[in-house]
Amino acid sequence: MSHNFRRILVVDDSAPDRFAIKRSLKKYAGTELEFQQADSAAAALALLETESFDGIIVDFYLRDLPGTDLLRKLRATLGELPCPVVMVTGSLESEKLAVQALEAGAHDYIEKNRLREPALWKALLYASSRFELAQEFAATNSRLTALNSELERKNQLKTQFLANATHELRTPVTAIIGLVGLIRDHDGLPPEITDHLASITACCDSLLNSVNDVLDLTKIETGEFVLETSAFCPYEVVHRVAQTFTHLASDRNIIIQTLVPDVVPYVLGDGKRVTQVLMNFVGNALKYTDGGSIALKLSIVPDPGDKRRLRFEVEDTGVGIPDHEVPHVFERHFQASNSSGKVSSSGLGLAIVKELADQMGGRVGCRSKVGVGTVFWFEMTFEPASEPHEESTEGDDERADLSANVLIAEDNVILARVIEHQFRKLGCRVTLVDCGEAAVKAASEEPYCMIVLDARMPGIGGLEASRRIRARLGKEVPIVLLTADSLLPSSDLEQYGITAAYVKPLSEKDIEIKILSLMA
């Protein structure tokens, strides 16, 4: 570090002490020094307002103000001390005063009885080093603060980009699934066409699963990830996942099997996340298996308590993973050796599995043998749950009126056609508009039993449209929000008057059970 001392300010109310300080520095500095003197704190403050110095020597006890208070005034005015400061005193309570001096901001401290030694000059050099380090630290901290702000800004942009990209991806996929449903409604379709439609739906489900993986990683990083707890049947989860991939597997001459105990108790947990784990396991197995089979296994692990410990496994007869790569398969963007010629993926599927398992307090693992196959497993402890009883709706006076008058706002033309068809198929009378303003206008002109709003539309979106409708109609009519990005903060819903919100796509069964039931 450089120590360029030319101008020194000596602050001491004793003329002999000021002389002794100057003499000591001139003797040991080995360089020409220019001195300014002040016999009080007020005089020192006046000098520092108009002049700059390379170092300050200040007495602890001044006639108008303690030296420590002088330093505090300088720091309060300037934000920091303008140069290295050494505090001197003739008091015998050196240790106590030294602590007070350093707390006030002085860079070093020395007793006056050592002025005849080179100690004062060394103290000034040491103070200069500390001053320069403090400046470097402040500059580095400022740069880090600016960098952190920039990273936070970019992270917010990334989150917003993902929300927008997800919306753009999910909307057409939702429309495709809906159109496939419309085609399936036609009678007399050849079996081959029906199989193709089932494969299209499976591909769309797989794509949506990948999109959800990216969203979930973002939610975990931003602390917005929330687990849902409800009773579910692990047996049904395994079979539902197997059915999802049946057509894709069949196209590749792969047999999907399920090996599940005869009796599997209901448990409390997030069944959707368990499904997501298995979907990723099976999807990964399909990428690296040609012919052969994929087995979904469920077993009950003995547990000494009253809880239920379950182990899910997905075993394939694929190419396998080399031993040295197995420990890394759950890392983000990791891709196993591609000697088999398989198409590489983003490497996020297994990473989100690990994240989901950690969030749920479970464990995941893998064992594999090249040329034989791979087993991925997920193990977790659940609270036991009673099997939910479905309430009969026959003859129930509170059942939803499926002939209700429903207002739907959706700006995507194809998706609007699909949603309209789904509601009409259930017997509803539908009024369709393409923006939030039109929804507000229509709701004020005619009574509706249900209002369904898309979250994102030109002009005002579903949230603002709901707020305006509530301001006019009150709380009588249920308002449902449909979103394609699934990053909508749940805390916003109530304040905008939203009755419920769902992520697209929704099946006709979902519409009847989740949406139309709100009118009951």
Side-chain angles (χ1 to χ4, degrees), residues 56-185:
I56 300 174
I57 312 297
V58 59
D59 189 16
F60 195 99
Y61 293 107
L62 298 171
R63 57 188 171 87
D64 61 339
L65 194 69
T68 51
D69 286 353
L70 170 61
L71 298 188
R72 292 189 180 96
K73 279 183 173 291
L74 280 175
R75 293 172 68 186
T77 303
L78 304 177
E80 61 180 1
L81 294 177
C83 60
V85 175
V86 176
M87 189 163 285
V88 298
T89 183
S91 172
L92 297 178
E93 301 178 359
S94 58
E95 291 186 5
K96 178 181 177 181
L97 298 182
V99 172
Q100 295 180 25
L102 295 176
E103 288 178 346
H107 300 99
D108 205 0
Y109 175 88
I110 187 175
E111 300 92 341
K112 287 184 178 180
N113 59 12
R114 301 182 62 195
L115 292 180
R116 294 183 179 182
E117 307 170 11
L120 179 59
W121 174 242
K122 291 181 179 179
L124 190 57
L125 292 176
Y126 176 70
S128 177
S129 298
R130 287 193 60 195
F131 177 76
E132 291 178 17
L133 284 172
Q135 285 190 313
E136 290 178 6
F137 177 80
T140 301
N141 189 60
S142 178
R143 288 195 297 270
L144 289 175
T145 300
L147 179 60
N148 187 61
S149 298
E150 178 64 12
L151 289 175
E152 180 62 28
R153 185 186 70 83
K154 289 183 177 179
N155 187 57
Q156 291 176 353
L157 288 176
K158 180 194 75 172
T159 301
Q160 186 59 44
F161 167 78
L162 286 174
N164 293 334
T166 301
H167 183 272
E168 296 304 316
L169 284 169
R170 293 183 68 95
T171 297
V173 174
T174 298
I176 292 171
I177 294 175
L179 290 173
V180 168
L182 297 185
I183 296 173
R184 279 179 169 174
D185 287 342

Side-chain angles (χ1 to χ4, degrees), residues 435-508:
C435 64
E437 290 88 346
V440 175
K441 183 174 183 294
S444 63
E445 294 176 347
E446 183 179 346
Y448 292 95
C449 302
M450 167 77 65
I451 298 176
V452 180
L453 304 172
D454 182 31
R456 298 190 183 205
M457 292 181 286
I460 64 172
L463 288 176
E464 178 59 21
S466 176
R467 188 189 67 78
R468 296 186 186 183
I469 292 172
R470 284 287 184 228
R472 297 184 183 186
L473 304 182
K475 296 185 177 181
E476 291 80 7
V477 58
I479 300 180
V480 175
L481 191 75
L482 297 183
T483 176
D485 56 46
S486 77
L487 283 179
L488 196 66
S490 58
S491 58
D492 286 345
L493 301 181
E494 186 175 350
Q495 70 183 56
Y496 284 98
I498 300 294
T499 307
Y502 298 104
V503 178
K504 304 171 186 176
L506 290 175
S507 66
E508 290 173 11

Side-chain angles (χ1 to χ4, degrees), residues 197-474:
L197 293 175
S199 296
I200 292 173
T201 301
C203 289
C204 290
D205 288 339
S206 180
L207 177 58
L208 287 177
N209 191 53
S210 297
V211 172
N212 289 336
D213 286 346
V214 176
L215 280 174
D216 285 335
L217 283 174
T218 302
K219 289 180 179 180
I220 290 171
E221 290 174 351
T222 58
E224 297 177 4
F225 186 84
V226 178
L227 290 170
E228 299 177 1
T229 300
S230 61
F232 73 95
C233 178
Y235 176 94
E236 293 177 358
V237 166
V238 171
H239 281 276
R240 186 163 57 247
V241 172
Q243 289 174 359
T244 300
F245 289 96
T246 296
H247 288 277
L248 289 179
S250 178
D251 291 341
R252 303 184 60 178
N253 296 318
I254 298 172
I255 299 173
I256 290 187
Q257 303 170 318
T258 57
L259 301 174
V260 183
D262 293 335
V263 178
V264 181
Y266 273 73
V267 295
L268 282 177
D270 195 329
K272 291 194 300 183
R273 299 304 178 184
V274 175
T275 301
Q276 189 175 352
V277 169
L278 295 180
M279 291 278 288
N280 276 295
F281 280 165
V282 177
N284 187 77
L286 280 172
K287 293 174 187 174
Y288 299 100
T289 303
D290 274 333
S293 64
I294 296 174
L296 282 76
K297 302 179 181 180
L298 171 61
S299 57
I300 302 174
V301 180
D303 190 277
D306 295 330
K307 298 184 178 181
R308 303 281 188 266
R309 188 158 190 85
L310 302 179
R311 183 181 180 92
F312 301 85
E313 293 185 355
V314 174
E315 180 176 359
D316 65 58
T317 58
V319 296
I321 304 170
D323 291 342
H324 68 279
E325 294 184 352
V326 170
H328 305 287
V329 294
F330 292 104
E331 297 175 2
R332 293 189 188 186
H333 307 298
F334 175 80
Q335 295 178 356
S337 298
N338 204 16
S339 58
S340 64
K342 301 298 178 186
V343 178
S344 298
S345 65
S346 64
L348 284 179
L350 295 178
I352 188 61
V353 162
K354 179 67 168 62
E355 296 283 0
L356 289 174
D358 290 344
Q359 292 288 322
M360 293 188 288
R363 299 187 305 127
V364 293
C366 170
R367 63 181 186 272
S368 184
K369 187 173 181 179
V370 175
V372 177
T374 303
V375 176
F376 283 99
W377 58 266
F378 165 57
E379 194 172 294
M380 180 178 169
T381 300
F382 297 90
E383 295 286 345
S386 301
E387 181 176 351
H389 297 284
E390 295 185 4
E391 296 183 3
S392 174
T393 57
E394 294 184 8
D396 190 346
D397 294 336
E398 296 298 321
R399 184 178 180 181
D401 179 11
L402 298 186
S403 63
N405 192 17
V406 178
L407 172 64
I408 298 175
E410 170 62 64
D411 64 301
N412 184 282
V413 177
I414 298 176
L415 195 53
R417 187 192 314 163
V418 170
I419 297 174
E420 179 185 15
H421 177 83
Q422 289 175 319
F423 274 86
R424 289 191 185 280
K425 188 177 178 182
L426 291 171
C428 296
R429 291 173 286 114
V430 177
T431 299
L432 190 64
V433 296
D434 61 1
C435 64
E437 290 88 346
V440 175
K441 183 174 183 294
S444 63
E445 294 176 347
E446 183 179 346
Y448 292 95
C449 302
M450 167 77 65
I451 298 176
V452 180
L453 304 172
D454 182 31
R456 298 190 183 205
M457 292 181 286
I460 64 172
L463 288 176
E464 178 59 21
S466 176
R467 188 189 67 78
R468 296 186 186 183
I469 292 172
R470 284 287 184 228
R472 297 184 183 186
L473 304 182

